[in-house]
Every structure is written in structure tokens, then in C-alpha cells.
Amino acid sequence: MKNYLFYVGVDISKSKLDVVLLKKEEPNVTNHFIVENNLKGVKEIFKNLIKQKIDLSAVLFCCENTGVYTFPLSSCLSENNLDFWVVPAIEIKRSKGISRGKNDKADAKDIALYSIRNIDKLKLSTLPETVIQQLKLLFTEREKVMKSFKIFEGTKENADFTPKQVYQSIKGINNKTVKFLKATLKSIEKEMKAIICNHFELKKQFELIKSVPGIGDKTAIYMLIVTRGFTAFDNARKLACYAGTAPFEHTSGSSIKGRTKVNHMADKKMKSILQMCALTAVKHDPQLKEYYERKKGEGKNAMLVLNNVKCKIIGRVFSVINRQTPYINTYKFAC
């Protein structure tokens, strides 16, 4: 493991970055300064550190994952080949223990201290490929359009309950809006597929994922985004944990013997998509259908069995990606 001499904690907000520099030998001595949250501000961080005669290659930068606000910092660090660690905010919060009050300077120091105390857990962050970033942004826009589409489609319910003259005043406008949203949705989906088709590796992975029964275009695209082209997760178990489908034991001593269950901390979108995949699979895939019915016949809870099916689907996806060959239904040879 690399021996870092300095640790920089960055508390990120929309307009500014609170930066705290700590030395490995003197973690209680704080050097704090504030810059703007843009590329110019990030370069000021580098200038400030170089002015103090600090070798940037001996620095570990650490920050919370704040979504799009993290991009200027992580982008600039990546371009300069500097080591940085993007950590979930809840992990840093829970590592602090009991604390009273908060401010941006204190938060930046807590982030720097977290990187020092948990250096054994270090997993250097990387910036996703441009195509993955494009797909992620387009998928987010698609979700917004879908929500808007459902809202405007609900207006048609007024036709059955309001006077015709009243509904006519909004009918034309609503129809135009729905038509526009449908066209926008089609355009977004076309753009996502075009991006995948123009990238050899993503196109191959896309086709391999779709070969698994129960998985369609939407699920395949979202899996590519979440896994960053299957570079973010080493195995199916880790993705299952991320998606909230991996079961965990809940016991303590001799008195607490809770049932094994999934954790609520998960990618809810992935979990929702996998639920639809599982429902489709148990209807159209003979092997999973037989498994589902057999477990239900044994008295197992339907949701528990569906969760197992989700895990099996994730396992199949990783299998086809690792083998680099489409899914083969071996169940038909056993019948």
C-alpha cells in the first residue's frame, strides 16, 4: 500500500469546496482554506499545496459522494493522475461516532481524518468512461420523462368524471404534451442505443446481458451504467448486495435470532428493475418457472423466492460476461 504523507479532506457544496490538509505525523494540525467548486477552484487547491512545497503524488484526496457536485474535483484529479477516494456520505457520518454540531470546516476535517484512520479500506476511485457518463445522464433524463408522461397521462381520467365542455378546455393541450413526451422518450432511447452501438465492448456486453431470459433493453443499459461496463464489481455477490437482493443474517447471542433478510441500503432503481425481470423470468423461463413453483409448493414466501430468482439472474449475467458467450438454456437438454 502506498505511504501517503498528507491527507486532504474536501467538503463539497454547490458553490464552494472546503479543503483541510492534514499531515500524517501531525493529524491535529489543521490547514483550512476555501475555493470555488469549479475547475479553476480545484487548480487553486493544487497551487496552494505546491506553494507549501508538498509533493502532490504523496497526497491522498478524499471527499464525499455528492453526485454531480463532485465532478469538477474528481475530473481534475483524474486528469492529473492524482490519488483520490470518493466515499459514501453515510459511511463517513457513521465513522465519526458521537458528535455535536457541524460546519463545513469540521466536515472537511472529519473526511481527512476518515482517510487516515481507514487507510486499510482504501479503494482508489476512478472516473467513469465518457460513454458511461453519457448513458447515465440520458437514463436520468429518461426517468424524468417517464414520470412526466405518467402524470400527464393521468389527466385523461377527467374525461369520465367531468363535463365534456370542461375537459375539452385541456384535452388539446394535454394531447400535445403527451405526444411531445413520447417523441422525447423515443429520441432518448435511440441516442442511448446509438452510443452503445458505437462502442465495441459495451455493444458486446449489451447483447450478452440481453441473452439472459427476463432481461430487456432497459435493464441491460442500467446494468452497464451501474457496473461501469462490469469494472465496478468483481462478482455477482457484490452486485446483488448493491442491488439489495443479497440476504444477510440478523442474530446476536442467544436471545436475538432474527430472520435472514436483505438490507434497505441499496440501489432502489436496480432493485425495482430486477423485480420486473424476475416476474418475467418465472413466466417465460422454464427452469426458473419450475424453481419458483417448487419453492412455493414447499411453503416458501413468494417474495423470498422472487428475491432468489433475482440473485440467479445476476449470477447468469456475470456468467455470460465472464465467459463472453451468450446464455445457453441447458434445462431443455435435461427434460
Side-chain angles (χ1 to χ4, degrees), residues 124-143:
L124 292 175
S125 301
T126 56
L127 205 62
E129 285 187 57
T130 303
V131 286
I132 298 295
Q133 294 179 43
Q134 290 174 330
L135 285 174
K136 185 177 181 180
L137 198 58
L138 283 166
F139 195 90
T140 302
E141 289 301 300
R142 182 187 182 280
E143 291 299 294

Side-chain angles (χ1 to χ4, degrees), residues 90 94 241-242 244 248 261-268 271:
I90 191 169
R94 291 185 174 182
C241 179
Y242 174 83
F248 292 93
K261 56 185 178 181
V262 298
N263 196 285
H264 71 280
M265 294 177 63
D267 184 333
K268 302 298 192 298
K271 192 172 183 178

Side-chain angles (χ1 to χ4, degrees), residues 8 17 59 75 95 121 200 281:
V8 172
L17 303 175
V59 178
S75 175
S95 72
K121 298 180 181 178
F200 176 77

Side-chain angles (χ1 to χ4, degrees), residues 288-302 304-306 308-309 312:
L288 292 179
K289 183 178 181 180
E290 187 273 334
Y291 171 81
Y292 179 78
E293 291 175 349
R294 174 163 53 84
K295 289 296 179 181
K296 282 270 289 177
E298 293 173 3
K300 301 291 185 181
N301 183 278
L304 170 66
V305 183
L306 278 176
N308 293 345
V309 172
K312 287 179 181 291

Side-chain angles (χ1 to χ4, degrees), residues 35 41 43 91 100 125 133 135 152 180 191 226 228 231 254 258 265 291:
V35 298
K43 289 178 181 178
E91 188 170 335
R100 296 172 178 83
S125 301
Q133 294 179 43
L135 285 174
F152 282 97
F180 173 76
E191 182 65 22
V226 166
R228 296 186 183 183
T231 60
S254 59
M265 294 177 63
Y291 171 81

Side-chain angles (χ1 to χ4, degrees), residues 142-157 174 177-178 181-182 185 218 269 272 276:
R142 182 187 182 280
E143 291 299 294
K144 293 176 185 176
V145 173
M146 285 296 294
K147 287 179 182 178
S148 300
F149 178 74
K150 289 177 182 178
I151 292 171
F152 282 97
E153 274 283 291
T155 304
K156 292 181 180 179
E157 292 181 358
N174 182 258
T177 305
V178 170
L181 289 172
K182 283 182 178 179
L185 186 63
K218 180 182 174 183
K269 184 63 187 177
S272 174
M276 299 308 296

